[in-house]
Amino acid sequence: MPPSPVASPSPSPSPSPSPSPSPSKSTTAERTRQLRVVAASGLLGTAVEFYDFLVYGTVAALVFGELFFPGADPAVGTIAAFGTFAAGYVARPLGGILFGHFGDRLGRKSMLLLTMGLMGGASFLVGLLPTYDTIGVWAPVLLITLRVVQGLAIGGEWGGATLMVVEHAGERRRGLWSSFTQMGAPLGSLLSTAVVALVVTLPKDEFAAWGWRVPFLLSVVLLGVGLLVRLKVVESPLFAEVKKDRAESRLPILDVLRRPRPVLLACCVGIGAFTAQSLLTSYLIAYATGIGYARPQVLTALTVSAAVALVVLPCASALSDRVGRRPVVLAGALASAALAFPVLALVDSGSPGLLILAVVLGHGIAQSTMYGPLGALLTEMFGTRVRYTGASLGYQGATLIGAGFSPMIAGSLVAGSGNSTPVSLLLCGGAAVTAVTVLFVRETSRTSLSDTADPAEGSDAPHTQEISA
């Protein structure tokens, strides 16, 4: 009889694996952590940028005329000092092109390390400069040279820092995350005015002899902290995708200028914010002290305004994620135009309390509402292959036109007219340019940045996809 078949033993149940973190959750947590590092890097980088630039503008208004342009009429000396201020702004678009080119070809991170080092290093060296009494005409020459280096570095800093945050951020909260880079402006202003407020308490002779150098020398502390954070940043994932596909542009500037409409719109939409920023910070110091305010009173007003801006900027940027970039920027421009004459009337009142109110309304609220969404708006207007170059060129062109020459023009017109009307008109003019330009800019808050095309490939508008609801 054939043997009966033997039943194979049923397999014993394998032990259930111990629970492990979901890869998707792990990846999400890592992306969130890296996004926070990138946001902190953008905040610190822009803070260094604005600290250095605003310290220069503040000290230029207070003593650079007599230290580097002696023998001139005080008004002429102030205008000459602001001329060196403008030299830095002239260099900024060149810096945007230079660092944008290599940032679009070699990577964002390496350029951001370089721009921060140049910016902080140039500021530190300004603090070591001998004055006209020591080396004659070489003093203003070296001052302008370092100012140009600052301008080149800052021209590449903002664009790279902002697009790194935007390219790391999720699709729906780009405005909010980009506000960290924008918040570097009031943070830098807060730090610069606080440091200058301390040194201006020195007797006038001591401030002119050595006190003015302290804010520049202290910039090395901000530089060190900023570099430590920036070293921890990983390269933009969108740029890494472009490099993997070998789709980078050979000459990004030519691709941008071949279809110039986006960069022209980017430039014009930022003019109002930078006109207000320049006139209600750097120029205001010279104007207000000239009509009788004490220096500490003016610096207190700027400090309060910067603190208010630190709240308004993220709020305006987050709102732009919900209602769109265009409505928020337009609201800020209209508010800036409406407040232009009242703000200067408050300044002319001679009351320290009304001075604070004026700067808070004009700069802390109206200007910040215009400025907050610009980080996301300008970067969203360009494809990944040319985003560093395009956003930098648009932004720095706006600073050159809106802020670079405004203090010098305002100083000349006020000296001729004897009143503040030219300042109000300049504020209105800048806000009007922004308000009109917004009408021609496409809404970008609901577009995807994953498409690596650039605006030179067939249309003036960026090749982006609408995000599904």
Side-chain angles (χ1 to χ4, degrees), residues 187-262:
L187 179 59
S189 175
L190 199 62
L191 293 172
S192 67
T193 51
V195 172
V196 173
L198 289 175
V199 296
V200 296
T201 59
L202 292 168
K204 187 175 180 180
D205 290 345
E206 291 187 34
F207 177 73
W210 60 269
W212 67 270
R213 299 179 184 275
V214 173
F216 292 101
L217 299 177
L218 286 178
S219 66
V220 74
V221 178
L222 267 180
L223 173 63
V225 174
L227 287 175
L228 278 176
V229 174
R230 190 153 282 181
L231 284 169
K232 298 178 182 179
V233 172
V234 299
E235 186 56 86
S236 156
L238 291 181
F239 177 78
E241 198 176 304
V242 167
K243 288 293 288 183
K244 182 178 65 177
D245 296 338
R246 300 192 177 189
E248 75 271 11
S249 171
R250 288 180 177 272
L251 286 171
I253 184 62
L254 293 184
D255 287 341
V256 169
L257 295 181
R258 189 174 295 126
R259 296 281 182 173
R261 187 171 185 266

Side-chain angles (χ1 to χ4, degrees), residues 7 11 33-34 39 73 87-88 99 101 145 169-171 201 203 216 257 262 329 391 403 426 450 467:
R33 186 195 69 80
Q34 185 56 222
D73 175 87
F99 291 105
H101 172 84
T145 300
E171 300 285 7
T201 59
F216 292 101
L257 295 181
V329 174
L426 284 171
S450 60
I467 300 172

Side-chain angles (χ1 to χ4, degrees), residues 61-302:
L62 296 176
V63 295
F64 272 9
E66 61 187 82
L67 293 178
F68 290 91
F69 306 94
D73 175 87
V76 175
T78 299
I79 293 170
F82 278 126
T84 64
F85 187 67
Y89 279 102
V90 171
R92 287 170 71 153
L94 298 177
I97 294 171
L98 176 65
F99 291 105
H101 172 84
F102 291 105
D104 281 327
R105 286 189 56 78
L106 303 179
R108 310 341 190 172
K109 179 179 176 177
S110 57
M111 293 302 105
L112 288 176
L113 289 169
L114 182 57
T115 56
M116 181 178 279
L118 285 174
M119 187 72 199
S123 184
F124 182 78
L125 290 177
V126 169
L128 299 177
L129 273 183
T131 62
Y132 189 94
D133 288 342
T134 304
I135 59 172
V137 72
W138 283 106
V141 168
L142 291 173
L143 180 66
I144 293 172
T145 300
L146 289 174
R147 189 62 178 168
V148 169
V149 172
Q150 280 189 326
L152 290 171
I154 203 173
E157 168 64 33
W158 179 90
T162 303
L163 68 87
M164 276 285 275
V165 176
V166 171
E167 289 181 348
H168 275 86
E171 300 285 7
R172 294 185 181 276
R173 302 182 72 188
R174 294 193 299 253
L176 176 60
W177 281 107
S178 70
S179 71
F180 283 87
T181 304
Q182 304 297 77
M183 288 165 65
L187 179 59
S189 175
L190 199 62
L191 293 172
S192 67
T193 51
V195 172
V196 173
L198 289 175
V199 296
V200 296
T201 59
L202 292 168
K204 187 175 180 180
D205 290 345
E206 291 187 34
F207 177 73
W210 60 269
W212 67 270
R213 299 179 184 275
V214 173
F216 292 101
L217 299 177
L218 286 178
S219 66
V220 74
V221 178
L222 267 180
L223 173 63
V225 174
L227 287 175
L228 278 176
V229 174
R230 190 153 282 181
L231 284 169
K232 298 178 182 179
V233 172
V234 299
E235 186 56 86
S236 156
L238 291 181
F239 177 78
E241 198 176 304
V242 167
K243 288 293 288 183
K244 182 178 65 177
D245 296 338
R246 300 192 177 189
E248 75 271 11
S249 171
R250 288 180 177 272
L251 286 171
I253 184 62
L254 293 184
D255 287 341
V256 169
L257 295 181
R258 189 174 295 126
R259 296 281 182 173
R261 187 171 185 266
V263 77
L264 290 175
L265 291 175
C267 174
C268 292
V269 80
I271 285 176
F274 290 110
T275 301
Q277 181 187 73
S278 182
L279 292 177
L280 296 177
T281 54
S282 299
Y283 176 72
L284 184 72
I285 297 170
Y287 177 78
T289 54
I291 62 173
Y293 287 97
R295 291 174 181 175
Q297 292 173 335
V298 182
L299 295 176
T300 298
L302 294 178

